[in-house]
Amino acid sequence: MGYLAEECGVFGVYNNTAIDSAQMGYFALQALQHRGQDGAGMVVSDGKHAALVKNIGLVTDVFHPGELDALSGKKYMIGHVRYATSGATNVLNTQPLVMRYQDGFLALAHNGHLVNSKALSRSLRDIGVLFQTDMDTEVLAHLIARSHAADMPGKIAEMMAVVYGSYALVIMDRNHVYGVRDPWGIRPLCIGRMENGTYILSSESCALDVIGAQFVRDVAPGEIVSIGPDGLRSYPQPQRSGGGICLFEYVYFARPDSTIDGVSVYESRFRAGQLLAQVAPVEADIVAGVPDSALSAAQGYANASGIPYGDVLVKNRYIGRTFIQPGQRAREMAVRLKLSVLRGQVEGKRVLLVDDSIVRGTNSIIIAKMLRNAGAKEVHMRISSPPVRFPCHFGINTPNQKQLIGAGQSVEDVRKLLGLDSLAYLPLEKLEESVKGSSCGYCTGCFDGHYPMNLAVCRRKCALQPKTKEGR
Ligand code: 5GP
Ligand code: MG
């Protein structure tokens, strides 16, 4: 069975207000849309029944007025936006998952990627468990449903004891919505609150702002929280050492108006740009960022270097993920469709372009060519993160090592390949400095190969949860 690696967004609410949960979810999932554009879904409940709508596509494609009406008037909901990085994009592989078990219904939505899901699903299938999807999330649902622990936090804790990998989860049963963060803290999850005591769970704090909720705190690594008629409750579980929040959340993935583990994403990017100017100065006439995710770092670079900041590239904001046929011509057209050059800003100038990351190098090579064609005298590039040298096993869509341009080659080789006058990256210790203050450490795996867990060992771990009386 092929498992999907995915970076996604999750959201949940237990609602005491007159505001409809489905309406809140609809807006919040749009605020999390950058975390996944391949599918969306939400499940709502009044405590007795669960109603689910999910499909492939953007949030606004999936939920039409008719569907929202069908979901309206319910007290609580969980929702998901999906970023499929491999495997089939079909409705079966969208989330939330809703299943029936001995205590009624169980709904789950997952952001992250499990390392030992194959081993676990093999041992579950050995005892007759049937699987309906390709998603590792389904393994989590079966583990929770099989548990004999007395209550839902106990069942979730038993699941957590045997699962390795990254997961930020929202789970719903008949009485509560639960938030769960993996014991390494790799994926983000935070708690919000509205004035009348309604609690919210969200991958990122930007979704709280949209619905008018206040940020309360991040869910701690290894923590289970429940929200329900009894308010907010916490069930801490053991944390695992050597982990931490994914640095790529700050570099590229999260929205700049989110705060993760106590650090503003915008401020961390601005600081990364300032540090980049210190460690990799260059003489240039204009500093620009590749829209949108590198603009904050470019502003930081301009601020620290004194070189004027200006726009050089304009982004077509209506282009989503583009189906690209193989071949260089189609790839170039796709980049030119997304980004165009402001000729007057670059003609005859020494241009310093800041990007947040280089993965395959496909964008940079075309952008450098576009700037030269538009008359730039020199094209320099500065990257506000280190070279991506190792694949991510925890949910970010980095390709295998052969396709990573920074993996086998020196910075000088990459500079020549991209046709740049100069190229420099932000060293890892400076990137860590830019996010200093984060409350739970960092995963630096894609930059230095130091993963939070021993992958070879953890992949084989398949012990199902012990059946103890208390379940703890
Ligand atoms: P490259 O062209 O080197 O393959 O990718 C680098 C560019 O893609 C950068 O501009 C960066 O902002 C963006 N990028 C980095 N990670 C991701 C990702 O996971 N998904 C998408 N769509 N773009 C990414
Ligand atoms: Mg970019």
Side-chain angles (χ1 to χ4, degrees), residues 109-137:
H110 172 206
N111 165 209
H113 185 64
L114 308 184
V115 165
N116 65 331
S117 56
K118 276 187 189 162
L120 286 168
S121 80
R122 206 176 301 127
S123 50
L124 284 165
R125 278 178 285 149
D126 280 348
I127 56 168
V129 174
L130 305 172
F131 281 84
Q132 287 195 40
T133 76
D134 295 336
M135 292 184 294
D136 49 8
T137 312

Side-chain angles (χ1 to χ4, degrees), residues 83 248 252-253 293 355-364 397:
Y83 184 163
F248 223 73
Y252 166 79
F253 215 82
S293 47
D355 205 351
D356 56 85
S357 56
I358 295 182
V359 182
R360 292 180 178 83
T362 43
N363 283 289
S364 312
N397 180 22

Side-chain angles (χ1 to χ4, degrees), residues 204 249-260 263-270 296:
E204 286 185 41
E249 291 278 353
Y250 294 102
V251 169
Y252 166 79
F253 215 82
R255 241 169 65 159
D257 53 336
S258 287
T259 294
I260 298 177
V263 175
S264 147
V265 174
Y266 171 78
E267 285 169 24
S268 75
R269 289 178 187 169
F270 191 89
S296 325

Side-chain angles (χ1 to χ4, degrees), residues 126-452:
D126 280 348
I127 56 168
V129 174
L130 305 172
F131 281 84
Q132 287 195 40
T133 76
D134 295 336
M135 292 184 294
D136 49 8
T137 312
E138 195 176 346
V139 175
L140 304 178
H142 288 306
L143 291 174
I144 292 169
R146 278 188 82 255
S147 166
H148 294 285
D151 57 9
M152 184 52 85
K155 292 177 196 289
I156 296 171
E158 283 197 346
M159 174 276 285
M160 293 170 80
V162 298
V163 163
Y164 291 80
S166 65
Y167 50 91
L169 300 170
V170 287
I171 299 173
M172 187 167 94
D173 67 6
R174 283 189 305 196
N175 307 307
H176 291 89
V177 171
Y178 302 87
V180 187
R181 191 164 171 198
D182 67 67
W184 298 269
I186 302 169
R187 292 288 150 231
L189 189 65
C190 70
I191 306 167
R193 188 174 192 268
M194 300 185 82
E195 278 159 15
N196 60 357
T198 291
Y199 281 100
I200 289 125
L201 297 162
S202 177
S203 286
E204 286 185 41
S205 60
C206 63
L208 302 178
D209 299 332
V210 171
I211 57 171
Q214 301 293 315
F215 173 83
V216 175
R217 65 177 176 89
D218 294 283
V219 176
E223 188 185 16
I224 304 167
V225 295
S226 74
I227 56 179
D230 46 353
L232 173 73
R233 286 171 179 240
S234 168
Y235 306 84
Q237 307 298 317
Q239 297 193 8
R240 308 246 197 191
S241 60
I245 181 81
C246 164
L247 270 181
F248 223 73
E249 291 278 353
Y250 294 102
V251 169
Y252 166 79
F253 215 82
R255 241 169 65 159
D257 53 336
S258 287
T259 294
I260 298 177
D261 289 333
V263 175
S264 147
V265 174
Y266 171 78
E267 285 169 24
S268 75
R269 289 178 187 169
F270 191 89
R271 273 195 299 271
Q274 288 178 312
L275 293 167
L276 191 56
Q278 285 168 16
V279 297
V282 66
E283 284 194 14
D285 302 309
I286 184 169
V287 179
V290 181
D292 295 314
S293 47
L295 298 181
S296 325
Q299 284 158 20
Y301 195 105
N303 169 278
S305 67
I307 305 169
Y309 175 85
D311 292 333
V312 152
L313 294 165
V314 178
K315 188 171 179 175
N316 182 335
R317 63 177 80 153
Y318 302 103
I319 308 301
R321 283 185 122 187
T322 319
F323 171 70
I324 304 169
Q325 288 186 313
Q328 186 62 14
R329 266 182 77 96
R331 215 174 287 140
E332 284 192 26
M333 279 194 285
V335 176
R336 285 201 299 264
L337 177 66
K338 207 177 265 187
L339 295 170
S340 53
V341 181
L342 293 165
R343 189 173 283 270
Q345 290 282 73
V346 303
E347 226 161 12
K349 288 189 189 159
R350 298 168 299 175
V351 178
L352 172 61
L353 197 63
V354 178
D355 205 351
D356 56 85
S357 56
I358 295 182
V359 182
R360 292 180 178 83
T362 43
N363 283 289
S364 312
I365 202 165
I366 297 165
I367 291 168
K369 203 165 129 188
M370 281 162 59
L371 293 180
R372 289 215 195 272
N373 288 345
K377 200 163 73 184
E378 292 171 18
V379 181
H380 303 271
M381 239 179 148
R382 294 293 178 271
I383 309 299
S384 57
S385 64
V388 176
R389 292 201 167 102
F390 301 89
C392 176
H393 301 279
F394 303 99
I396 293 275
N397 180 22
T398 45
N400 67 37
Q401 214 165 2
K402 265 189 252 147
Q403 293 170 296
L404 292 171
I405 194 170
Q409 304 175 86
S410 68
V411 174
E412 176 57 14
D413 289 340
V414 176
R415 180 195 70 77
K416 280 191 204 142
L417 270 169
L418 301 183
L420 298 164
D421 291 290
S422 76
L423 169 68
Y425 294 82
L426 188 67
L428 184 55
E429 67 271 16
K430 295 290 173 186
L431 179 62
E432 290 188 45
E433 194 180 323
S434 77
V435 293
K436 208 161 61 187
S438 170
S439 47
C440 75
Y442 311 101
C443 175
T444 55
C446 61
F447 300 124
D448 64 3
H450 293 144
Y451 299 116

